[in-house]
Amino acid sequence: MSQIKKILVANRGEIAIRVMRTCRELDIETVAVYSEADRTSLHVRYAHEAFYIGESPSNESYLNIDKIIDVAKSCGADAIHPGYGFLSENAEFAKRCTKEGIIFIGPTPDVIVTMGDKIQAREAMTNAGIPVVPGTKDKITSEKEVHDVIKEIGLPIMIKASAGGGGKGMRLIQEESEVISAVRAARSEALSSFGDDSVYIEKYITSPHHIEFQILADQHGNVVHLFERECSVQRRHQKMIEETPSPLMTPELRDEMGKCAVDSAKAVNYVGAGTIEFLVDNNLNYYFLEMNTRLQVEHPITERVTGIDLVKQQIRVAEGDKLEFKQEDLIQKGHAIECRIYAEDPDNNFMPSAGKIYKISEPLGLGVRTDGYVYEGYEIPIYYDSMISKLIVWGKTRDEAIRRMRRALYEYKITGVKTSIKILERVMNNENFIEGNYDTHFIEKNREQLMSSKIKDDISDMVIIATFIDYLDKIGQKEDNTKEFAAAQSCWNKTSFRNHF
Ligand code: MV4
């Protein structure tokens, strides 16, 4: 039971600020680390202390274990919160923290290793009686093996990298003739991405739902789940929208999958916040897919319906406290939706749209939360993820939440970079989405409506905004231009809110 007084947040962007916000509420001092590109980042100014850790590329800064440990020791941090991405699922880092007497806010290194290796994870879950996708137990070593498995479970199948996750090193096989090339491609992608060419086979689940369960576990063997998140709206394995409850879910299925998620965590002596991902097919069969041993991007929707601060719980658990609630104390109240706002150009194949945020005005009002980090004048660096903000809304019902999300997206004004906002607006107006009729192929299946530029974009606004940006660019450098700035401000104020439909 050690009281944590100072936390180093080994991350950047919105999640670094998200973690520090809870620390402030708990009177815990915060330490930021930053790269060259992040000298002007908001997390640096938000923290009590901030330390430079290296050049802009991640492997010279946010992935530099020695440097981060050095900073933690020299500033006297008791604990490190890794956020998501970067070192959050790096077992070596977790090990180093413990060795140096610093609390790693997350599970133990051995669980990170087990869950990071999909073959091991499948074995652990199978032993615990959790349904996994039918497939091979071990890595495959010959072409013949693949054909034998096909005879057993039929086509289509997927070849997946054991060290993979998130879609890398994955190949679909629909015909036997594709076996050689698919295995070769998966192997070489796995080797170059993860330095490990082990691959295994899973039966291909057609049009599944991606549904995950949030779990929380303390150091005393208590585990609860905080219900599900429906994450099927993705493009190229990048999530765009998450919601809870899932429109697909029934109370019985929720109970059953929730128990399964708790059993999965217990089976590996899990500690902290974690997520069990399932694929759910059209007949509501569910299969363990993988476990994420970190806080996830989409955690706020769970916070919104349960009223529980997940970062606070992570910290309490890391201090050795017992969970302060039991499963029966937890309820899902109302409906929450998250939209991820990416600085990407939807009209140019979603290429990252780096650049300076000239003006930004974020939605507010009843039931709205934004977790972001950009501000007026901030230049989005090219080195990191292009997600600039998360917009989370709550409603008493799913319908109310969707309406609130439309309203909040309408209020979102950003100039200087292109964003995914208009696509998100189209999803919120898509009939299939509104009916809750969607799975992981939603974006492809609704491509025409979602990508159509026939729908009226508010061109007059865009012209005004573009003029404004030009204007600021031209006058920005002068000394005595208050009048011009006022004119520019008024130009911005005159641009209406967004309205793409
Ligand atoms: C699958 C699958 C169908 N069957 N595995 C994609 C990312 C990785 N986490 C697992 N993925 C999938 N695995 C079997 N056996 C379909 C997908 C998949 C997917 C999963 C979740 C969310 C979106 C997806 C989009 C395409 C494919």
Side-chain angles (χ1 to χ4, degrees):
M1 319 283 141
S2 52
Q3 186 73 38
I4 294 173
K5 295 194 184 65
K6 192 188 262 197
I7 294 179
L8 182 150
V9 181
N11 215 300
R12 65 175 302 281
E14 68 88 17
I15 193 60
I17 294 171
R18 159 70 193 92
V19 170
M20 290 179 196
R21 280 180 161 144
T22 287
C23 293
R24 289 222 167 236
E25 293 179 14
L26 300 177
D27 290 324
I28 294 172
E29 300 249 328
T30 52
V31 182
V33 290
Y34 62 95
S35 68
E36 189 60 42
D38 275 333
R39 286 188 181 281
T40 58
S41 257
L42 198 55
H43 76 284
V44 175
R45 283 190 270 150
Y46 194 93
H48 291 86
E49 294 168 78
F51 298 93
Y52 173 79
I53 51 165
E55 292 299 315
S56 306
S58 305
N59 52 15
E60 293 177 47
S61 47
Y62 299 107
L63 294 174
N64 187 339
I65 295 178
D66 288 334
K67 190 78 203 171
I68 291 169
I69 295 284
D70 271 359
V71 171
K73 287 174 79 173
S74 69
C75 74
D78 323 291
I80 295 184
H81 194 300
Y84 52 70
F86 296 127
L87 295 171
S88 61
E89 291 177 290
N90 183 312
E92 286 311 311
F93 182 58
K95 226 181 266 175
R96 261 301 285 288
C97 290
T98 311
K99 189 176 148 224
E100 306 284 352
I102 302 161
I103 297 171
F104 175 77
I105 301 179
T108 52
D110 58 308
V111 179
I112 301 178
V113 169
T114 304
M115 291 306 169
D117 182 308
K118 307 305 159 193
I119 291 175
Q120 277 189 50
R122 278 166 62 82
E123 188 181 357
M125 293 305 131
T126 306
N127 293 341
I130 313 297
V132 301
V133 185
T136 53
K137 192 173 167 297
D138 300 308
K139 67 176 179 178
I140 52 175
T141 52
S142 71
E143 192 193 323
K144 180 175 177 299
E145 246 177 282
V146 182
H147 292 291
D148 288 348
V149 174
I150 291 172
K151 280 198 193 78
E152 210 182 298
I153 63 176
L155 284 166
I157 58 164
M158 288 200 101
I159 306 291
K160 291 189 176 186
S162 188
K168 267 231 174 98
M170 208 170 80
R171 286 291 181 285
L172 173 61
I173 298 181
Q174 284 170 302
E175 288 176 40
E176 298 224 27
S177 61
E178 297 164 357
V179 168
I180 296 179
S181 65
V183 172
R184 194 172 293 158
R187 265 196 209 290
S188 82
E189 198 173 305
L191 187 65
S192 64
S193 304
F194 317 112
D196 173 2
D197 73 350
S198 310
V199 295
Y200 64 102
I201 300 171
E202 277 183 9
K203 183 180 167 57
Y204 180 67
I205 312 293
T206 313
S207 288
H209 278 248
H210 172 130
I211 296 182
E212 58 188 32
F213 273 73
Q214 176 70 53
I215 62 108
L216 257 182
D218 67 19
Q219 298 182 27
H220 311 276
N222 303 302
V223 186
V224 296
H225 71 83
L226 291 91
F227 313 103
E228 80 278 12
R229 292 186 289 257
E230 168 67 71
C231 305
S232 295
V233 181
Q234 309 199 355
R235 80 162 266 294
R236 293 206 211 127
H237 307 303
Q238 190 185 55
K239 291 173 187 159
M240 290 175 73
I241 296 168
E242 304 95 350
E243 64 175 316
T244 185
S246 164
L248 189 75
M249 198 55 74
T250 62
E252 296 74 31
L253 185 62
R254 175 175 299 116
D255 225 49
E256 200 182 318
M257 290 179 73
K259 285 200 176 85
C260 233
V262 168
D263 289 346
S264 315
K266 282 185 174 162
V268 293
N269 296 318
Y270 196 83
V271 172
T275 299
I276 318 285
E277 290 184 5
F278 294 98
L279 287 181
V280 184
D281 70 17
N282 293 322
N283 302 318
L284 298 187
N285 298 308
Y286 60 91
Y287 308 97
F288 168 87
L289 190 62
E290 42 193 84
M291 177 171 194
N292 301 315
T293 57
R294 59 163 195 278
L295 185 71
Q296 289 194 261
V297 176
E298 58 271 28
H299 76 277
I301 57 171
T302 298
E303 297 187 318
R304 194 61 188 80
V305 296
T306 61
I308 286 167
D309 177 338
L310 285 168
V311 174
K312 179 174 171 181
Q313 295 308 320
Q314 285 187 299
I315 295 169
R316 291 303 181 226
V317 161
E319 287 177 327
D321 286 5
K322 284 192 172 145
L323 289 181
E324 58 198 32
F325 35 74
K326 299 204 158 51
Q327 190 63 53
E328 57 267 29
D329 301 329
L330 298 170
I331 53 156
Q332 259 175 323
K333 189 178 174 186
H335 200 98
I337 306 176
E338 172 179 277
C339 280
R340 299 189 185 189
I341 315 289
Y342 291 101
E344 290 176 357
D345 184 356
D347 298 322
N348 184 19
N349 200 25
F350 294 89
M351 291 295 281
S353 173
K356 189 174 189 160
I357 306 273
Y358 286 92
K359 295 290 277 179
I360 179 165
S361 169
E362 292 184 289
L364 291 166
L366 182 62
V368 176
R369 162 179 175 181
T370 60
D371 272 22
Y373 76 105
V374 302
Y375 55 86
E376 286 182 5
Y378 179 71
E379 200 163 333
I380 299 166
I382 57 164
Y383 300 96
Y384 317 108
D385 193 82
S386 60
M387 192 183 75
I388 54 170
S389 164
K390 305 184 307 205
L391 173 57
I392 303 106
V393 303
W394 179 86
K396 235 170 133 64
T397 61
R398 185 168 187 268
D399 178 64
E400 191 176 86
I402 291 173
R403 288 166 184 278
R404 189 161 283 157
M405 184 59 87
R406 280 188 210 130
R407 184 270 287 176
L409 289 166
Y410 163 76
E411 289 178 13
Y412 227 123
K413 289 166 69 172
I414 301 179
T415 64
V417 296
K418 301 270 177 48
T419 73
S420 52
I421 292 174
K422 71 177 179 185
I423 303 297
L424 296 167
E425 287 186 301
R426 288 172 192 167
V427 176
M428 289 302 136
N429 285 282
N430 177 283
E431 269 177 44
N432 292 319
F433 182 83
I434 291 166
E435 283 165 21
N437 168 30
Y438 68 88
D439 56 40
T440 47
H441 297 300
F442 173 77
I443 301 288
E444 298 133 69
K445 285 180 187 163
N446 295 273
R447 170 149 255 118
E448 197 157 352
Q449 185 254 336
L450 298 175
M451 297 303 160
S452 167
S453 55
K454 277 178 280 179
I455 297 168
K456 174 183 160 283
D457 269 335
D458 210 326
I459 291 163
S460 60
D461 274 8
M462 292 304 147
V463 171
I464 296 171
I465 292 166
T467 313
F468 167 74
I469 290 167
D470 252 19
Y471 198 58
L472 256 190
D473 249 355
K474 285 199 193 84
I475 66 172
Q477 310 295 62
K478 290 184 196 165
E479 267 179 14
D480 185 25
N481 53 16
T482 353
K483 249 197 240 161
E484 284 84 349
F485 267 107
Q489 184 64 49
S490 128
C491 183
W492 165 257
N493 291 342
K494 274 185 214 143
T495 64
S496 63
F497 293 98
R498 311 180 58 85
N499 211 346
H500 293 290
F501 293 91

